[in-house]
Each structure stands twice: as C-alpha cells, then as structure tokens.
C-alpha cells in the first residue's frame, strides 16, 4: 500500500510540474513518518524514498539508529532548545527554526560537534495563534541575525498552512511565502540562499507545488492515518 501511495503522490507532483512548466527535479517529496514504526519507513525506503520528516527528536534519533544511513532526516516539528544537541549531527535539514534563540542554540551545538547545519526559517504565514513560526513581517530580521551565526546555513523558508476543506484556500499563504523568499534573496545576505521552500502537506501539496514549493511534506497520504496512542 505504501508503494502505491508514494507512486500516487509522485504522479500528482509530476502532473502539476508539467502543467506549469516546472522541472520535476525541483520538487522533493518528504515522507512524514511521525508515529510510524521503522518497518513502514523501510518499506517507503525500499520504494525509493530517501527523505523522511519527523516531528519529535526522540523518534528521529531512535529511527536514525536502526534505518539505512543514506536517509536524509528532516526535523519538521517544533524544536525545543534543550533537545538540539541530540540531532545536530544527524539531520539533513531543520525546517522549524522560529527564533534567534533557537538558531543560536543550533549554532552552539554545531560548533561543539564540528558540524554544519542547514536550517529553514519557519514562518507562520497565516498568523494562526496555535502555530509556531515567526511572522511574515519579522522573518527578514530573523534571517539577517541568524545568518551571522557560525556553523549554520540558511537554505530557505518553511510554513505550515491551516487545515482547510479546500486546498485552494491555502494558495494565498504559499504565494506570500514565495514572495518573501524572493524579497530576501534580493538582499543578497551572506550565508543565506532561498533555494528551499518547504510548504504543502497531504491536503494541499499540489497547490503548494504550483506556487513554488521545493519540499512537500506528506504523511497521511503515504502512511495512512496516525495513531497517536502508540509510543515508539
């Protein structure tokens, strides 16, 4: 079932890219594997998936230990500063940097472990009170400050759009994130590239791709509904 689901999602991405004239190679599918057992991730890996997204540090660390080492791990959930030390040398990309204090902690731990960490600045484009992320207005300043930190490289932006009935309702937020990334790129800030736009999930990834997403985060659409009562 996982193989079929991945193929279905990839086909949708193919179609959208073809319709709007984007290169398919510009979009990477991240299999969001939170609460799912390692066996299911292995199945997705065997299908060809190499990018996996986790929301919790402990889950990421546990799965990192038992799954193939060429997996690119993405930390997409809210990251507490006291947990940073456990993942800086394991993640391919941290999507959820929403404050300078968190960026400073990532930098400090990266220097300690002599690694470089790629990060995205999380923007709460819809201004939802229940979501983390800096505001559209404050994002540029956070980028400028975080860019000065050692061993941290800003690769782009991330947003989590609202849960909506119709994916089309989120188009405006994806457009805002894309515009912000273009504005920031135009400033030519040292240690900042805006090549990555992480936006779009199971319900709205096709719209996100049409608005410039380079990373889409699909969980339910690949692994099915989550069982939050299961501890990993």
């Amino acid at each position: 079932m996982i193989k079929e689901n991945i193929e279905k999602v990839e086909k949708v991405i193919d179609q959208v890219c073809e319709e709007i004239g984007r290169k398919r190679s510009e979009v990477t599918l991240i299999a969001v594997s939170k609460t799912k057992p390692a066996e299911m991730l292995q199945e997705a890996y065997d299908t060809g998936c190499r990018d996996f997204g986790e929301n919790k540090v402990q889950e990421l660390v546990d799965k990192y230990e038992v799954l193939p080492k060429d997996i690119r791990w993405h930390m997409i959930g809210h990251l507490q500063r006291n947990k940073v030390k456990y993942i800086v040398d394991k993640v391919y990309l941290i999507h959820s940097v929403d404050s300078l204090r968190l960026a400073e902690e990532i930098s400090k731990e990266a220097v300690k472990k002599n690694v470089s960490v790629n990060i995205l600045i999380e923007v709460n484009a819809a201004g939802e009170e229940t979501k983390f992320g800096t505001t559209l207005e404050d994002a540029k300043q956070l980028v400028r400050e975080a860019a000065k930190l050692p061993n941290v490289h800003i690769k782009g932006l991330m947003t989590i759009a609202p849960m909506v009935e119709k994916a089309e309702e989120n188009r405006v937020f994806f457009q805002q994130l894309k515009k912000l990334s273009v504005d920031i790129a135009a400033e030519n800030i040292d240690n900042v590239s805006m090549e990555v736009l992480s936006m779009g999930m199971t319900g709205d990834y096709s719209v996100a791709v049409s608005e410039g997403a380079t990373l889409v985060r699909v969980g339910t659409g690949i692994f099915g509904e989550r069982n939050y009562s299961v501890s990993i």
Side-chain angles (χ1 to χ4, degrees), residues 129-149:
E129 288 184 12
T130 55
K131 298 257 174 76
F132 293 100
T134 184
T135 63
L136 285 161
E137 296 74 26
D138 293 341
K140 281 186 192 176
Q141 189 56 32
L142 176 52
V143 167
R144 290 187 198 108
E145 294 297 322
K148 299 171 189 171
L149 299 168

Side-chain angles (χ1 to χ4, degrees), residues 30-222:
I30 299 173
V32 177
S33 42
K34 61 184 179 182
T35 79
K36 296 301 180 183
E39 295 76 28
M40 289 181 82
L41 277 74
Q42 183 67 51
E43 201 177 325
Y45 178 92
D46 293 341
T47 299
C49 259
R50 291 296 177 270
D51 291 85
F52 290 84
E54 288 292 335
N55 278 53
K56 294 197 180 330
V57 166
Q58 190 59 55
E59 264 196 83
L60 191 153
V61 171
D62 289 349
K63 291 170 181 174
Y64 176 91
E65 297 301 336
V66 298
L67 285 158
K69 287 295 172 268
D70 61 336
I71 285 176
R72 294 181 289 265
W73 292 101
H74 297 256
M75 181 65 199
I76 62 175
H78 179 62
L79 180 57
Q80 295 169 299
R81 295 197 307 281
N82 64 348
K83 302 275 181 74
V84 167
K85 60 191 173 202
Y86 301 114
I87 61 163
V88 287
D89 55 347
K90 296 177 177 67
V91 287
Y92 174 73
L93 184 64
I94 298 175
H95 292 228
S96 47
V97 179
D98 58 359
S99 70
L100 184 59
R101 289 177 73 193
L102 176 56
E104 287 170 342
E105 188 66 26
I106 293 168
S107 172
K108 185 181 92 176
E109 292 297 335
V111 169
K112 262 192 211 172
K113 295 197 171 168
N114 195 27
V115 293
S116 287
V117 184
N118 293 325
I119 67 169
L120 304 180
I121 300 300
E122 181 176 0
V123 181
N124 186 350
E128 292 182 282
E129 288 184 12
T130 55
K131 298 257 174 76
F132 293 100
T134 184
T135 63
L136 285 161
E137 296 74 26
D138 293 341
K140 281 186 192 176
Q141 189 56 32
L142 176 52
V143 167
R144 290 187 198 108
E145 294 297 322
K148 299 171 189 171
L149 299 168
N151 293 48
V152 164
H153 305 296
I154 300 174
K155 295 295 182 183
L157 306 174
M158 182 268 246
T159 198
I160 300 173
M163 295 293 287
V164 291
E165 287 292 316
K166 295 177 181 167
E168 197 58 41
E169 294 173 44
N170 281 335
R171 187 177 295 277
V172 61
F173 305 121
F174 300 145
Q175 289 172 336
Q176 287 171 335
L177 199 73
K178 175 64 177 176
K179 182 181 183 302
L180 179 61
S181 77
V182 171
D183 290 347
I184 292 171
E187 294 193 16
N188 291 314
I189 305 164
D190 283 350
N191 193 30
V192 175
S193 77
M194 284 286 124
E195 66 197 36
V196 177
L197 270 185
S198 171
M199 57 189 195
M201 295 159 65
T202 295
D204 56 17
Y205 68 89
S206 62
V207 176
V209 170
S210 72
E211 293 298 339
T214 64
L215 297 177
V216 293
R217 312 178 304 269
V218 178
T220 307
I222 292 175

Side-chain angles (χ1 to χ4, degrees), residues 10 13-14 17 22-29 213-215:
E10 293 279 10
I13 297 171
D14 288 348
C17 287
R22 280 188 81 181
K23 290 181 184 163
R24 177 60 186 83
S25 58
E26 291 175 3
V27 185
T28 298
L29 171 61
T214 64
L215 297 177

